[in-house]
Amino acid sequence: MKKISMMLVLSLVISLFSSLTALAESGAKVETKQGGYVSISNVTDKKRFTDEGSGVGDSIFVSDKPVTLTITGKDSHPSINFLPDAKLVGESFIMGEASEDITVKEYTLSLSKKGYYGVNVRFGSEFSPDTVAEFVVQITGEATAGNDLKANSESGNNAVDQGMSTVNVLNENSGYTIKFPSSSLRLQKVKGSDDEIGGFEVSAITLKNPEFEKDSNVFLFDLVTTNPKAHSVYVSVDSYFGGQMKYVDEEFKDGKVSVFMPSVTFKSVMTDDVLDVIIEVYDKDRNVIDSFKNIYFMYEGFNRYKVSDADTNQSNKPVSAKPTASKVIVNGKQVSFEAYNINNNNFFKLRDIASVVNGTEKQFEVKWDGAKNAISLLSGKAYTPAGGELKVSAKPVTKEAKPTTSTLYIDGKEVNFVAYTIDGNNYFKLRDIAKAFNIGVTWDSAINNIGIDTKLDYKEE
């Protein structure tokens, strides 16, 4: 006669008495009498099988999309495994020999690989029929790429997957992406005046409001890398208006690190905050190998300041650039620029501005990185001429200007300025550059003069 282990007996008892399952629209909840429960997203079907004491109950929750499991309850002990050899034969669920343990961090887990998953979550220290939620998840389809989101933000171009949306960090060649649990993304602008930071305007990726349970942890995003040297990462999620909301400092596992936030904090974030992601990536010796800043995102529920849609097709829209008729006085002397008026704003060649303030306390260097399509401005550094500065056409004419595709950094920080390319040169709004380096700008409408004065501080119009 075969001996039956105590664990097997307990599993059989639990299957008879423990888990109560509530099936909701596109989701399910497996509850225990103890009070703890597991929520399952994107459920499209439910199947039953005969429980033979394997520790995964008698129910299969089926989805053709990635699934998010959210564990809610005190003192939870999850055991979740991918079962590559599992199959359902009649009323029997055969687990197979192979099993891949899946680590659960902070009570939320995303499952996307096609196949079966065994889920067993115990709440509390006692193993009894009232404390265990056990079931199987079956994912029938792999996540596939969907339509591209036509938006360029500080974080790069975006592509939408089924249930998850992927954003390139910096650009598509950086080796890093962020995967948000949102089926769609929008690029929007937030504009206002804050007591801490003053007047501001920022572009941010807007995500759909996620569903979450009270006293749980909300999944924010996955940071994914293909960089073979990336060993660990520090991720700080800050409020744009000041203060750190969450940080993670851990090693990559299979090229991924997940970031969560307590629901008690997240509840106010949805309505009040634009979040700023700061990333530092380290090698095995804890040397910084990559860093990224100013990746902004928010949620549809944000209502603290005015929100408007950004022009997501801007990169494809050429505009008309008319020669500026105004005289330009730099530190008391008239200087000729080939400047243009675009949408009632004066745009100057970036290197021309750097050239005329060179040698003053407001000087800045301009560096170009062709491989990364990036412009770096360094405050206080002497400008190195590239040739062609302050070159003016004999008869300037109206030209076509295309929004620049280059990324701009000022002292290592990525910034989002409106800029255009005209005849291969980058033109920036004079006041944006002046504000960045605290250069005084004046306007005398009586004599149609623009003044640039490095001895003055910048003041808003």
Side-chain angles (χ1 to χ4, degrees):
M1 184 176 180
K2 294 183 179 179
K3 294 182 179 180
I4 301 176
S5 69
M6 193 63 184
M7 182 64 72
L8 177 59
V9 172
L10 284 171
S11 293
L12 288 168
V13 172
I14 288 168
S15 69
L16 294 174
F17 298 105
S18 65
S19 299
L20 302 174
T21 304
L23 192 60
E25 182 181 0
S26 73
K29 183 187 293 185
V30 179
E31 301 173 300
T32 67
K33 291 182 180 180
Q34 181 264 3
Y37 61 89
V38 181
S39 300
I40 313 153
S41 71
N42 295 329
V43 174
T44 57
D45 192 14
K46 182 180 178 181
K47 301 177 182 178
R48 291 281 190 179
F49 60 89
T50 301
D51 187 350
E52 299 176 349
S54 57
V56 292
D58 63 357
S59 300
I60 300 176
F61 295 97
V62 183
S63 176
D64 58 359
K65 298 178 180 179
V67 164
T68 298
L69 302 181
T70 303
I71 301 169
T72 303
K74 296 180 180 179
D75 193 20
S76 61
H77 303 270
S79 175
I80 300 175
N81 298 275
F82 178 66
L83 308 172
D85 299 332
K87 57 185 177 180
L88 184 64
V89 180
E91 294 184 356
S92 297
F93 180 69
I94 301 172
M95 294 178 63
E97 295 293 329
S99 177
E100 300 174 11
D101 184 60
I102 299 175
T103 302
V104 181
K105 295 181 180 179
E106 303 196 37
Y107 317 111
T108 304
L109 179 67
S110 294
L111 307 176
S112 59
K113 189 175 181 180
K114 184 177 180 179
Y116 290 96
Y117 298 81
V119 180
N120 184 295
V121 182
R122 186 180 84 250
F123 296 92
S125 58
E126 293 186 11
F127 197 108
S128 76
D130 295 338
T131 63
V132 177
E134 55 182 11
F135 54 91
V136 173
V137 172
Q138 181 188 12
I139 297 177
T140 59
E142 300 279 8
T144 57
N147 295 326
D148 288 339
L149 178 72
K150 296 179 180 179
N152 276 318
S153 69
E154 289 86 346
S155 48
N157 296 322
N158 310 302
V160 179
D161 298 333
Q162 290 185 6
M164 297 283 283
S165 297
T166 301
V167 176
N168 295 317
V169 178
L170 186 59
N171 57 52
E172 61 184 8
N173 299 315
S174 69
Y176 300 89
T177 57
I178 291 178
K179 292 190 174 183
F180 291 105
S182 180
S183 59
S184 65
L185 301 178
R186 296 170 64 193
L187 184 64
Q188 295 188 300
K189 286 187 177 181
V190 180
K191 187 175 183 180
S193 181
D194 185 79
D195 291 341
E196 295 293 328
I197 64 174
F200 70 92
E201 181 176 323
V202 60
S203 295
I205 299 168
T206 301
L207 314 179
K208 289 184 175 295
N209 294 339
E211 295 182 1
F212 62 93
E213 304 290 341
K214 184 179 179 182
D215 300 324
S216 65
N217 280 279
V218 181
F219 173 52
L220 296 186
F221 58 82
D222 286 332
L223 175 64
V224 181
T225 183
T226 57
N227 186 344
K229 296 181 179 179
H231 180 259
S232 61
V233 64
Y234 173 83
V235 180
S236 181
V237 181
D238 300 344
S239 167
Y240 179 80
F241 308 107
Q244 186 180 66
M245 309 298 290
K246 177 69 180 181
Y247 79 90
V248 170
D249 192 347
E250 60 185 64
E251 294 181 4
F252 285 101
K253 184 175 181 181
D254 296 326
K256 183 177 75 173
V257 164
S258 300
V259 181
F260 298 82
M261 180 179 289
S263 60
V264 65
T265 304
F266 184 79
K267 188 175 181 180
S268 63
V269 163
M270 280 202 305
T271 57
D272 292 346
D273 267 304
V274 175
L275 297 177
D276 178 7
V277 182
I278 300 170
I279 300 168
E280 281 196 350
V281 183
Y282 307 95
D283 62 15
K284 288 185 178 181
D285 299 319
R286 199 63 179 181
N287 298 312
V288 177
I289 58 173
D290 286 303
S291 62
F292 308 96
K293 297 180 180 180
N294 306 119
I295 303 168
Y296 301 115
F297 72 98
M298 61 183 182
Y299 293 88
E300 288 181 342
F302 180 86
N303 57 19
R304 184 173 175 180
Y305 295 105
K306 182 180 178 181
V307 177
S308 60
D309 287 333
D311 183 1
T312 57
N313 291 315
Q314 182 184 8
S315 60
N316 298 320
K317 286 184 178 179
V319 297
S320 178
K322 298 179 180 180
T324 296
S326 306
K327 292 181 180 179
V328 183
I329 309 298
V330 180
N331 292 334
K333 297 181 180 179
Q334 184 173 337
V335 178
S336 296
F337 290 86
E338 188 153 309
Y340 292 88
N341 187 286
I342 301 174
N343 296 327
N344 296 319
N345 290 293
N346 289 307
F347 283 76
F348 284 65
K349 191 190 303 181
L350 181 59
R351 289 188 175 275
D352 284 354
I353 301 174
S355 178
V356 297
V357 302
N358 194 36
T360 73
E361 60 181 8
K362 308 293 178 67
Q363 67 183 4
F364 61 91
E365 173 68 299
V366 179
K367 289 186 175 293
W368 166 248
D369 188 333
K372 294 183 177 180
N373 191 25
I375 304 166
S376 293
L377 308 183
L378 305 173
S379 59
K381 302 290 185 181
Y383 173 66
T384 304
E389 287 83 0
L390 299 175
K391 182 180 179 181
V392 180
S393 303
K395 293 182 179 181
V397 296
T398 298
K399 295 184 178 181
E400 182 180 83
K402 295 182 179 179
T404 185
T405 59
S406 302
T407 304
L408 180 68
Y409 296 89
I410 296 180
D411 295 330
K413 181 179 180 180
E414 186 178 347
V415 295
N416 183 34
F417 288 166
V418 176
Y420 293 92
T421 301
I422 303 173
D423 293 340
N425 295 302
N426 288 304
Y427 281 73
F428 285 80
K429 196 184 299 183
L430 176 60
R431 283 196 169 271
D432 283 347
I433 299 299
K435 183 177 181 179
F437 296 102
N438 194 28
I439 300 170
V441 175
T442 60
W443 164 247
D444 190 333
S445 59
I447 56 175
N448 198 26
N449 271 12
I450 299 170
I452 298 174
D453 194 333
T454 57
K455 294 180 181 179
L456 298 178
D457 291 336
Y458 177 82
K459 292 183 179 180
E460 296 287 353
E461 291 180 289

